[in-house]
Amino acid sequence: MKRILSGILIGVVSYSAIFLLLFFSKEITQGIQNGIDICLSLMIPSTFLFLILTDILSRSRAGRVLARPFSFLSKIFKIRPCDIDIVILSLIGGYPVGARILADRVKSGMIDHRSASRMLAFCVNSSPAFLYTGVGISIFHSAAVGIIFLLSSLLACFITGIFSRIGAFYPKAVNSKGQEQHIPAPSVLLFSSVQKSIYSMSIICGFVILFSTCMPLISSFLSGFLPFELSSCLCGLLEVCSGCSSLFTSGFQNPVAAAMLFSSFGGICVFFQIGAILHGSGISMRFLLLWRVFYTATATGFTALLSRFLPQEILSAFSSFSDTETVFSAISPLALGALFCCIILLLFFSIHPATIKIKKQ
């Protein structure tokens, strides 16, 4: 019976999608174009390099050195000191980084899936590049707003980590061999990091384009039954970039807090991305979904509180941009320079090149 019902549901959804493609081709085409623009102008510039760099750091000694000054946080979060780099890298890299590192370490036996499931509650965060540059600078044209987003996200992560430790056990390695992580050669490390990052980036962009395709239809449908502000809020909870870009016309009393609401929640789109990354690792998303409401409320509350200290000119300037088009840009020169360093490592530290053979004359 369950298979029959699931087959009927899949058939209904598939035929409905074909119907929408035939009769709403203009809106769907516009949604696809918007999704591609978001991926090219925001998601790839702000995420791809960080995926590569955080994967390299998590699989090398550099990540442990980076996290060593923050080892005191292990007692606060009730995790092992060797796992604190997951929290640091998730704060630096953004949404898919923490989930991907946790999945890799569970598969390698470095941490059990139960502890990794708890750590998802505070290791799934918006990246600084997205909060500061993509939202604070590109939408609000204010560095102060970007700093408020960063502080609110950081405080929400710490508070969620502290409260989620109630009744939790310290993580344990699945086997003794998983305690020591094998560090490959620099060229192999860079190649595998780029390969994994391309796969993760394709998942992220695919879901963004899919949700952006459906967003015009969902928005027009909801606007017929709900107030415009509420329909915009629901769309923002489905896909964060669409919600942030609609702040100009949504009419929120506090657009800064609304932007943090969408960014901290991440959207249903992000949950699908994380679920695809965690597939096969045994990590459950129930803990993440349970604590996401608390995390979102904490980050939004801090943003609403801190936004009261913003000069009124910033919100006035934001309203003056309501008729302009938002252009996302999240290029990181620091990440670009680090990528060039990784390329140099690839060229000079290859142990057994597979494609290039240099012979002495």
Side-chain angles (χ1 to χ4, degrees):
M1 181 62 66
K2 184 177 181 181
R3 292 182 179 180
I4 295 175
L5 293 177
S6 62
I8 295 175
L9 180 61
I10 293 174
V12 171
V13 172
S14 300
Y15 281 113
S16 300
I18 294 174
F19 173 81
L20 294 175
L21 287 173
L22 291 175
F23 294 94
F24 297 93
S25 58
K26 182 179 179 180
E27 291 81 0
I28 290 176
T29 301
Q30 183 62 42
I32 293 175
Q33 292 177 352
N34 294 337
I36 294 175
D37 291 339
I38 290 173
C39 292
L40 293 178
S41 60
L42 176 63
M43 299 307 300
I44 295 177
S46 66
T47 306
F48 182 62
L49 295 180
F50 285 100
L51 286 174
I52 298 174
L53 296 175
T54 51
D55 185 75
I56 292 174
L57 290 174
S58 65
R59 298 167 60 193
S60 63
R61 293 185 179 90
R64 300 176 185 177
V65 174
L66 176 66
R68 190 170 298 170
F70 305 97
S71 58
F72 66 95
L73 296 176
S74 61
K75 295 182 179 180
I76 298 177
F77 291 150
K78 205 172 185 179
I79 60 177
R80 298 179 304 172
C82 60
D83 294 330
I84 199 65
D85 62 323
I86 304 176
V87 182
I88 304 300
L89 294 177
S90 67
L91 289 171
I92 296 175
Y95 278 120
V97 171
R100 194 179 70 172
I101 297 175
L102 286 171
D104 291 341
R105 295 197 178 180
V106 168
K107 292 177 181 179
S108 62
M110 298 183 66
I111 188 174
D112 63 284
H113 65 276
R114 181 179 178 182
S115 301
S117 301
R118 185 183 78 88
M119 291 183 66
L120 272 181
F122 51 91
C123 288
V124 176
N125 310 282
S126 294
S127 67
F130 177 80
L131 293 175
Y132 182 81
T133 308
V135 182
I137 301 298
S138 298
I139 294 182
F140 293 93
H141 304 273
S142 172
V145 175
I147 293 174
I148 287 177
F149 287 154
L150 293 177
L151 291 176
S152 300
S153 178
L154 185 64
L155 290 172
C157 173
F158 274 81
I159 293 178
T160 305
I162 293 172
F163 278 89
S164 64
R165 59 173 289 167
I166 300 175
F169 297 94
Y170 281 98
K172 297 180 180 180
V174 177
N175 54 65
S176 58
K177 295 182 180 180
Q179 296 284 353
E180 292 295 332
Q181 186 178 14
H182 173 68
I183 301 176
S187 59
V188 178
L189 178 61
L190 178 59
F191 177 81
S192 61
S193 298
V194 172
Q195 186 180 39
K196 291 170 59 178
S197 299
I198 292 175
Y199 174 73
S200 300
M201 198 75 248
S202 63
I203 293 176
I204 294 171
C205 292
F207 276 108
V208 169
I209 295 174
L210 175 62
F211 275 75
S212 298
T213 302
C214 305
M215 202 58 63
L217 300 177
I218 296 175
S219 179
S220 60
F221 176 77
L222 293 177
S223 61
F225 300 93
L226 301 174
F228 183 73
E229 293 80 3
L230 184 57
S231 64
S232 299
C233 182
L234 292 177
C235 290
L237 295 178
L238 288 174
E239 207 281 312
V240 57
C241 296
S242 299
C244 291
S245 60
S246 66
L247 290 173
F248 289 126
T249 57
S250 58
F252 289 107
Q253 294 183 354
N254 192 339
V256 178
M260 192 68 228
L261 171 67
F262 302 148
S263 301
S264 58
F265 183 73
I268 305 299
C269 179
V270 170
F271 293 148
F272 277 104
Q273 298 169 22
I274 295 174
I277 293 174
L278 297 178
H279 179 70
S281 64
I283 300 176
S284 175
M285 291 184 59
R286 295 179 182 177
F287 211 88
L288 171 64
L289 298 175
L290 177 64
W291 284 95
R292 206 61 192 170
V293 176
F294 177 81
Y295 178 93
T296 303
T298 303
T300 306
F302 277 119
T303 303
L305 180 62
L306 295 176
S307 62
R308 296 183 178 181
F309 299 96
L310 288 173
Q312 189 63 31
E313 292 79 6
I314 293 179
L315 297 179
S316 301
F318 171 76
S319 61
S320 66
F321 288 109
S322 58
D323 297 329
T324 63
E325 182 180 0
T326 304
V327 179
F328 289 108
S329 176
I331 299 175
S332 174
L334 180 61
L336 185 61
L339 181 61
F340 279 116
C341 295
C342 293
I343 294 174
I344 294 174
L345 290 175
L346 174 64
L347 293 176
F348 289 97
F349 290 93
S350 179
I351 298 177
H352 297 291
T355 58
I356 301 176
K357 294 183 179 180
I358 301 176
K359 296 183 178 180
K360 295 182 179 179
Q361 299 296 332

